Amino acid sequence: MADVLKKVPVREQEPKVRATNFEEVCLGYNQEEAMEEASRCINCKNAKCISGCPVAIDIPGFIREVKEGNIEEAYKVIGKSSALPAICGRVCPQESQCEGKCIRGIKGEPVSIGKLERFVADYALEHDINPEGPECTNGHKVAVIGSGPSGLTCAGDLAKMGYEVTVFEALHELGGVLVYGIPEFRLPKQKVVAKEIEKVKELGVKFETNVVIGKSTTIDQLIEEEGFEAVFIGSGAGLPMFMGIPGENANGVFSANEYLTRSNLMKAFDESYDTPIAGGKKVAVVGGGNVAMDAARTALRLGAEVHIVYRRSEAELPARVEEVHHAKEEGVIFDLLTNPKEIFVDDHGNVKGMRVIKMELGEPDASGRRRPVEIPGSEYDIEADTVIMSLGTSPNPLISSTTKGLKTNRWKCIVADEEFGKTSKEGVYAGGDAVTGAATVILAMGAGKAGARGIDAYLKEK
């Protein structure tokens, strides 16, 4: 019998093999493995894992069905709370959310909730099991801006309530950060993202691409001229941040957003596409979050030697432990407690290296983390012909600057209440990165659910 204190191991591609391809790293559970892992759940009466989930999935409920082999029923349980389970099962930070609160994890390893969610969702995609939609629509029209995780979640929930929902997407492909920001080896686009979006379409949600709100049309026009009674803004945070150091405008310096978008949407990873992004062989990625890991692992697969340059220690890396582990396994080099000072440029304006300085951790700052402090005289140079800045993103101010009465804060994020996503403008709700700045997929989904609740309450009172 398996050790109930340990997770059933999940199969993965070997590091040396996967470092040369863009196929999915984690291969997931089969049904036998999923049922064995589900049997580790002790079905707590006061299940803390549910409170750890931003979309409040009935986790013991779906795991109980998996344990019995009722996979379709398990999908129905998840589907009541989540429109994107195959995505969440892959990219959610379960270790700090549902699994972080799992009672089984006190004396052993927590139940592998994320991998079980992924198994159930993949089973539903393979067997074409559809979510349950409304019997009829209620005639109320709602617009959703952005087809990322918050927009898709809000649209799906509203459609289940009977609303006529249209999603407006600025890009030519649906999915927002799910398609442009997360690499294929972590989140397959056709096999997973496109199919989950199809499930949202099957609920009756309409989609319009290549519509830039603030340019093509405005929120005020959607409400005043096109008959939408409420609007949800889930436009994300796609405006990259930079350090302002010398040489940052050189050829060969990318934001992580641009680098990953070129790779994902422009198929730079596919040799049959003519999309250059990493002509260089020595790449330095500045930052330590999940996006930095994604950019570094992408560059590695494109044939580069890759360094992660991060100003704090490994304990402070904001990226998921799993992503850091995978990056190390694949050969990414970590230059920790190190910070860039200058990017060197050749006579043609191309990157030829980067000067960095060693850091040490001082007193805690406002975030509670110890502040990195430079060590005088510790500068040294890193060879690099490509530098990727992964320092976070902020919302594009286009929507807020073209919408009357919509308040933003000093970071240009839309001000909205957490419980219902209500903004300063009547009938307009917002959530996800457009409100919080760059955060996780599952937190954006939670905000999408809050927005749907807020819009439903607002239109019922009208």
Side-chain angles (χ1 to χ4, degrees), residues 34-35 37-39 41-45 47 50 58-71 73-74 77 111 116 120:
M35 290 173 69
E37 180 62 22
S39 71
C41 177
I42 56 178
N43 292 309
C44 308
K45 287 184 180 175
I50 299 176
D58 177 5
I59 292 167
F62 99 75
I63 290 179
R64 196 159 49 242
E65 297 295 352
V66 174
K67 184 178 174 182
E68 299 298 323
N70 302 327
I71 314 305
E73 289 303 313
V77 173
V111 174
L116 290 175
V120 170

mmCIF file of all heavy atoms in Angstrom, residues 34-35 37-39 41-45 47 50 58-71 73-74 77 111 116 120:
data_model
loop_
_atom_site.group_PDB
_atom_site.id
_atom_site.type_symbol
_atom_site.label_atom_id
_atom_site.label_comp_id
_atom_site.label_asym_id
_atom_site.label_seq_id
_atom_site.Cartn_x
_atom_site.Cartn_y
_atom_site.Cartn_z
ATOM 1 N N ALA A 34 -4.662 9.166 -9.958
ATOM 2 C CA ALA A 34 -5.548 10.190 -9.380
ATOM 3 C C ALA A 34 -6.413 9.600 -8.269
ATOM 4 O O ALA A 34 -6.582 10.214 -7.207
ATOM 5 C CB ALA A 34 -6.426 10.797 -10.471
ATOM 6 N N MET A 35 -6.946 8.404 -8.498
ATOM 7 C CA MET A 35 -7.790 7.765 -7.473
ATOM 8 C C MET A 35 -6.975 7.419 -6.232
ATOM 9 O O MET A 35 -7.452 7.554 -5.104
ATOM 10 C CB MET A 35 -8.477 6.531 -8.054
ATOM 11 C CG MET A 35 -9.555 6.869 -9.079
ATOM 12 S SD MET A 35 -10.237 5.427 -9.924
ATOM 13 C CE MET A 35 -11.140 4.626 -8.572
ATOM 14 N N GLU A 37 -4.233 9.053 -5.211
ATOM 15 C CA GLU A 37 -3.950 10.309 -4.523
ATOM 16 C C GLU A 37 -5.197 10.825 -3.810
ATOM 17 O O GLU A 37 -5.120 11.316 -2.680
ATOM 18 C CB GLU A 37 -3.429 11.353 -5.509
ATOM 19 C CG GLU A 37 -3.107 12.715 -4.897
ATOM 20 C CD GLU A 37 -2.012 12.684 -3.835
ATOM 21 O OE1 GLU A 37 -1.202 11.743 -3.816
ATOM 22 O OE2 GLU A 37 -1.968 13.615 -3.022
ATOM 23 N N ALA A 38 -6.367 10.687 -4.453
ATOM 24 C CA ALA A 38 -7.627 11.142 -3.843
ATOM 25 C C ALA A 38 -7.924 10.386 -2.544
ATOM 26 O O ALA A 38 -8.524 10.942 -1.615
ATOM 27 C CB ALA A 38 -8.775 10.976 -4.829
ATOM 28 N N SER A 39 -7.480 9.149 -2.471
ATOM 29 C CA SER A 39 -7.745 8.340 -1.273
ATOM 30 C C SER A 39 -6.973 8.860 -0.053
ATOM 31 O O SER A 39 -7.266 8.480 1.081
ATOM 32 C CB SER A 39 -7.388 6.865 -1.524
ATOM 33 O OG SER A 39 -5.987 6.699 -1.616
ATOM 34 N N CYS A 41 -7.088 11.956 0.896
ATOM 35 C CA CYS A 41 -7.910 13.023 1.488
ATOM 36 C C CYS A 41 -8.717 12.458 2.650
ATOM 37 O O CYS A 41 -9.339 11.395 2.525
ATOM 38 C CB CYS A 41 -8.843 13.612 0.426
ATOM 39 S SG CYS A 41 -9.962 14.892 1.055
ATOM 40 N N ILE A 42 -8.723 13.139 3.792
ATOM 41 C CA ILE A 42 -9.437 12.625 4.966
ATOM 42 C C ILE A 42 -10.827 13.258 5.128
ATOM 43 O O ILE A 42 -11.479 13.075 6.155
ATOM 44 C CB ILE A 42 -8.596 12.819 6.242
ATOM 45 C CG1 ILE A 42 -8.193 14.284 6.436
ATOM 46 C CG2 ILE A 42 -7.366 11.922 6.217
ATOM 47 C CD1 ILE A 42 -7.394 14.544 7.715
ATOM 48 N N ASN A 43 -11.286 13.992 4.097
ATOM 49 C CA ASN A 43 -12.640 14.553 4.080
ATOM 50 C C ASN A 43 -12.974 15.341 5.351
ATOM 51 O O ASN A 43 -13.927 15.037 6.059
ATOM 52 C CB ASN A 43 -13.689 13.445 3.877
ATOM 53 C CG ASN A 43 -13.614 12.836 2.498
ATOM 54 O OD1 ASN A 43 -13.623 13.548 1.504
ATOM 55 N ND2 ASN A 43 -13.516 11.511 2.428
ATOM 56 N N CYS A 44 -12.178 16.335 5.622
ATOM 57 C CA CYS A 44 -12.405 17.168 6.814
ATOM 58 C C CYS A 44 -13.815 17.752 6.786
ATOM 59 O O CYS A 44 -14.301 18.178 5.748
ATOM 60 C CB CYS A 44 -11.416 18.337 6.839
ATOM 61 S SG CYS A 44 -9.707 17.870 6.656
ATOM 62 N N LYS A 45 -14.453 17.813 7.957
ATOM 63 C CA LYS A 45 -15.774 18.444 8.027
ATOM 64 C C LYS A 45 -15.653 19.957 7.866
ATOM 65 O O LYS A 45 -16.477 20.592 7.223
ATOM 66 C CB LYS A 45 -16.447 18.091 9.359
ATOM 67 C CG LYS A 45 -16.930 16.647 9.408
ATOM 68 C CD LYS A 45 -17.668 16.339 10.677
ATOM 69 C CE LYS A 45 -18.135 14.886 10.680
ATOM 70 N NZ LYS A 45 -18.767 14.528 11.968
ATOM 71 N N ALA A 47 -13.368 21.962 6.144
ATOM 72 C CA ALA A 47 -12.244 21.876 5.205
ATOM 73 C C ALA A 47 -11.586 23.229 4.990
ATOM 74 O O ALA A 47 -12.142 24.112 4.333
ATOM 75 C CB ALA A 47 -12.738 21.300 3.880
ATOM 76 N N ILE A 50 -10.825 24.782 1.327
ATOM 77 C CA ILE A 50 -11.806 25.592 0.589
ATOM 78 C C ILE A 50 -11.560 27.075 0.840
ATOM 79 O O ILE A 50 -11.584 27.894 -0.085
ATOM 80 C CB ILE A 50 -13.257 25.211 0.967
ATOM 81 C CG1 ILE A 50 -13.533 23.743 0.614
ATOM 82 C CG2 ILE A 50 -14.258 26.124 0.257
ATOM 83 C CD1 ILE A 50 -14.905 23.254 1.039
ATOM 84 N N ASP A 58 -15.411 23.416 -3.965
ATOM 85 C CA ASP A 58 -15.696 22.374 -2.970
ATOM 86 C C ASP A 58 -14.661 21.263 -3.176
ATOM 87 O O ASP A 58 -14.916 20.268 -3.861
ATOM 88 C CB ASP A 58 -17.124 21.844 -3.145
ATOM 89 C CG ASP A 58 -17.454 20.706 -2.172
ATOM 90 O OD1 ASP A 58 -16.599 20.392 -1.308
ATOM 91 O OD2 ASP A 58 -18.550 20.123 -2.301
ATOM 92 N N ILE A 59 -13.498 21.455 -2.587
ATOM 93 C CA ILE A 59 -12.371 20.554 -2.843
ATOM 94 C C ILE A 59 -12.619 19.144 -2.303
ATOM 95 O O ILE A 59 -12.462 18.163 -3.042
ATOM 96 C CB ILE A 59 -11.063 21.175 -2.293
ATOM 97 C CG1 ILE A 59 -10.717 22.418 -3.129
ATOM 98 C CG2 ILE A 59 -9.914 20.171 -2.342
ATOM 99 C CD1 ILE A 59 -9.645 23.301 -2.526
ATOM 100 N N PRO A 60 -13.046 18.979 -1.045
ATOM 101 C CA PRO A 60 -13.331 17.618 -0.586
ATOM 102 C C PRO A 60 -14.424 16.941 -1.414
ATOM 103 O O PRO A 60 -14.384 15.724 -1.645
ATOM 104 C CB PRO A 60 -13.782 17.807 0.864
ATOM 105 C CG PRO A 60 -13.229 19.129 1.266
ATOM 106 C CD PRO A 60 -13.243 19.973 0.028
ATOM 107 N N GLY A 61 -15.386 17.751 -1.898
ATOM 108 C CA GLY A 61 -16.484 17.197 -2.703
ATOM 109 C C GLY A 61 -15.998 16.613 -4.018
ATOM 110 O O GLY A 61 -16.360 15.489 -4.393
ATOM 111 N N PHE A 62 -15.150 17.350 -4.724
ATOM 112 C CA PHE A 62 -14.685 16.823 -6.018
ATOM 113 C C PHE A 62 -13.693 15.678 -5.820
ATOM 114 O O PHE A 62 -13.690 14.705 -6.577
ATOM 115 C CB PHE A 62 -14.144 17.947 -6.911
ATOM 116 C CG PHE A 62 -12.659 18.148 -6.956
ATOM 117 C CD1 PHE A 62 -11.826 17.282 -7.659
ATOM 118 C CD2 PHE A 62 -12.063 19.239 -6.320
ATOM 119 C CE1 PHE A 62 -10.459 17.481 -7.721
ATOM 120 C CE2 PHE A 62 -10.698 19.444 -6.373
ATOM 121 C CZ PHE A 62 -9.888 18.560 -7.066
ATOM 122 N N ILE A 63 -12.876 15.760 -4.751
ATOM 123 C CA ILE A 63 -11.905 14.683 -4.505
ATOM 124 C C ILE A 63 -12.631 13.394 -4.115
ATOM 125 O O ILE A 63 -12.225 12.293 -4.515
ATOM 126 C CB ILE A 63 -10.892 15.111 -3.420
ATOM 127 C CG1 ILE A 63 -9.973 16.214 -3.975
ATOM 128 C CG2 ILE A 63 -10.056 13.920 -2.958
ATOM 129 C CD1 ILE A 63 -8.943 16.735 -2.995
ATOM 130 N N ARG A 64 -13.722 13.516 -3.387
ATOM 131 C CA ARG A 64 -14.518 12.341 -3.014
ATOM 132 C C ARG A 64 -15.015 11.617 -4.261
ATOM 133 O O ARG A 64 -15.002 10.383 -4.348
ATOM 134 C CB ARG A 64 -15.685 12.782 -2.132
ATOM 135 C CG ARG A 64 -16.371 11.687 -1.364
ATOM 136 C CD ARG A 64 -17.142 12.226 -0.168
ATOM 137 N NE ARG A 64 -18.000 13.359 -0.507
ATOM 138 C CZ ARG A 64 -17.836 14.575 0.020
ATOM 139 N NH1 ARG A 64 -16.865 14.818 0.871
ATOM 140 N NH2 ARG A 64 -18.658 15.554 -0.321
ATOM 141 N N GLU A 65 -15.446 12.385 -5.270
ATOM 142 C CA GLU A 65 -15.928 11.776 -6.526
ATOM 143 C C GLU A 65 -14.774 11.109 -7.288
ATOM 144 O O GLU A 65 -14.939 10.048 -7.876
ATOM 145 C CB GLU A 65 -16.592 12.844 -7.404
ATOM 146 C CG GLU A 65 -17.835 13.481 -6.812
ATOM 147 C CD GLU A 65 -19.006 12.524 -6.640
ATOM 148 O OE1 GLU A 65 -18.926 11.376 -7.118
ATOM 149 O OE2 GLU A 65 -20.013 12.932 -6.024
ATOM 150 N N VAL A 66 -13.594 11.741 -7.272
ATOM 151 C CA VAL A 66 -12.426 11.138 -7.933
ATOM 152 C C VAL A 66 -12.086 9.810 -7.263
ATOM 153 O O VAL A 66 -11.807 8.804 -7.933
ATOM 154 C CB VAL A 66 -11.201 12.091 -7.876
ATOM 155 C CG1 VAL A 66 -9.954 11.395 -8.425
ATOM 156 C CG2 VAL A 66 -11.469 13.364 -8.667
ATOM 157 N N LYS A 67 -12.119 9.797 -5.938
ATOM 158 C CA LYS A 67 -11.807 8.590 -5.166
ATOM 159 C C LYS A 67 -12.712 7.429 -5.570
ATOM 160 O O LYS A 67 -12.288 6.269 -5.635
ATOM 161 C CB LYS A 67 -11.980 8.912 -3.676
ATOM 162 C CG LYS A 67 -11.603 7.796 -2.732
ATOM 163 C CD LYS A 67 -11.779 8.298 -1.306
ATOM 164 C CE LYS A 67 -11.565 7.202 -0.295
ATOM 165 N NZ LYS A 67 -11.781 7.697 1.083
ATOM 166 N N GLU A 68 -13.978 7.742 -5.883
ATOM 167 C CA GLU A 68 -14.948 6.718 -6.289
ATOM 168 C C GLU A 68 -14.898 6.425 -7.783
ATOM 169 O O GLU A 68 -15.638 5.581 -8.282
ATOM 170 C CB GLU A 68 -16.372 7.160 -5.902
ATOM 171 C CG GLU A 68 -16.592 7.375 -4.407
ATOM 172 C CD GLU A 68 -16.385 6.097 -3.608
ATOM 173 O OE1 GLU A 68 -16.762 5.018 -4.113
ATOM 174 O OE2 GLU A 68 -15.832 6.184 -2.495
ATOM 175 N N GLY A 69 -14.065 7.163 -8.521
ATOM 176 C CA GLY A 69 -13.980 6.961 -9.966
ATOM 177 C C GLY A 69 -15.051 7.692 -10.751
ATOM 178 O O GLY A 69 -15.215 7.464 -11.954
ATOM 179 N N ASN A 70 -15.784 8.611 -10.090
ATOM 180 C CA ASN A 70 -16.856 9.377 -10.755
ATOM 181 C C ASN A 70 -16.280 10.690 -11.283
ATOM 182 O O ASN A 70 -16.526 11.768 -10.723
ATOM 183 C CB ASN A 70 -17.997 9.657 -9.781
ATOM 184 C CG ASN A 70 -18.589 8.394 -9.200
ATOM 185 O OD1 ASN A 70 -18.649 7.355 -9.870
ATOM 186 N ND2 ASN A 70 -19.013 8.452 -7.947
ATOM 187 N N ILE A 71 -15.522 10.626 -12.353
ATOM 188 C CA ILE A 71 -14.769 11.795 -12.804
ATOM 189 C C ILE A 71 -15.679 12.872 -13.381
ATOM 190 O O ILE A 71 -15.464 14.065 -13.171
ATOM 191 C CB ILE A 71 -13.687 11.390 -13.834
ATOM 192 C CG1 ILE A 71 -12.906 10.158 -13.354
ATOM 193 C CG2 ILE A 71 -12.740 12.564 -14.100
ATOM 194 C CD1 ILE A 71 -12.270 10.294 -11.984
ATOM 195 N N GLU A 73 -18.718 13.518 -12.449
ATOM 196 C CA GLU A 73 -19.339 14.190 -11.305
ATOM 197 C C GLU A 73 -18.358 15.133 -10.631
ATOM 198 O O GLU A 73 -18.731 16.220 -10.180
ATOM 199 C CB GLU A 73 -19.856 13.150 -10.291
ATOM 200 C CG GLU A 73 -21.060 12.366 -10.760
ATOM 201 C CD GLU A 73 -22.235 13.264 -11.131
ATOM 202 O OE1 GLU A 73 -22.560 14.175 -10.343
ATOM 203 O OE2 GLU A 73 -22.818 13.062 -12.213
ATOM 204 N N ALA A 74 -17.101 14.723 -10.569
ATOM 205 C CA ALA A 74 -16.072 15.581 -9.982
ATOM 206 C C ALA A 74 -15.956 16.873 -10.774
ATOM 207 O O ALA A 74 -15.816 17.963 -10.196
ATOM 208 C CB ALA A 74 -14.729 14.846 -9.957
ATOM 209 N N VAL A 77 -18.740 19.252 -9.916
ATOM 210 C CA VAL A 77 -18.509 19.921 -8.628
ATOM 211 C C VAL A 77 -17.570 21.104 -8.829
ATOM 212 O O VAL A 77 -17.833 22.221 -8.372
ATOM 213 C CB VAL A 77 -17.931 18.937 -7.588
ATOM 214 C CG1 VAL A 77 -17.529 19.685 -6.315
ATOM 215 C CG2 VAL A 77 -18.936 17.836 -7.264
ATOM 216 N N VAL A 111 -2.454 16.837 0.295
ATOM 217 C CA VAL A 111 -3.041 16.185 -0.882
ATOM 218 C C VAL A 111 -2.709 17.022 -2.116
ATOM 219 O O VAL A 111 -2.730 18.254 -2.065
ATOM 220 C CB VAL A 111 -4.575 16.046 -0.722
ATOM 221 C CG1 VAL A 111 -5.213 15.493 -2.001
ATOM 222 C CG2 VAL A 111 -4.900 15.153 0.468
ATOM 223 N N LEU A 116 -4.899 16.900 -9.015
ATOM 224 C CA LEU A 116 -6.200 16.232 -9.127
ATOM 225 C C LEU A 116 -7.181 17.096 -9.927
ATOM 226 O O LEU A 116 -7.942 16.589 -10.753
ATOM 227 C CB LEU A 116 -6.769 15.930 -7.736
ATOM 228 C CG LEU A 116 -6.044 14.830 -6.945
ATOM 229 C CD1 LEU A 116 -6.617 14.718 -5.540
ATOM 230 C CD2 LEU A 116 -6.140 13.487 -7.671
ATOM 231 N N VAL A 120 -8.995 15.956 -13.501
ATOM 232 C CA VAL A 120 -10.455 16.004 -13.733
ATOM 233 C C VAL A 120 -10.775 16.892 -14.934
ATOM 234 O O VAL A 120 -11.580 16.523 -15.806
ATOM 235 C CB VAL A 120 -11.175 16.513 -12.466
ATOM 236 C CG1 VAL A 120 -12.652 16.793 -12.766
ATOM 237 C CG2 VAL A 120 -11.051 15.501 -11.341
#
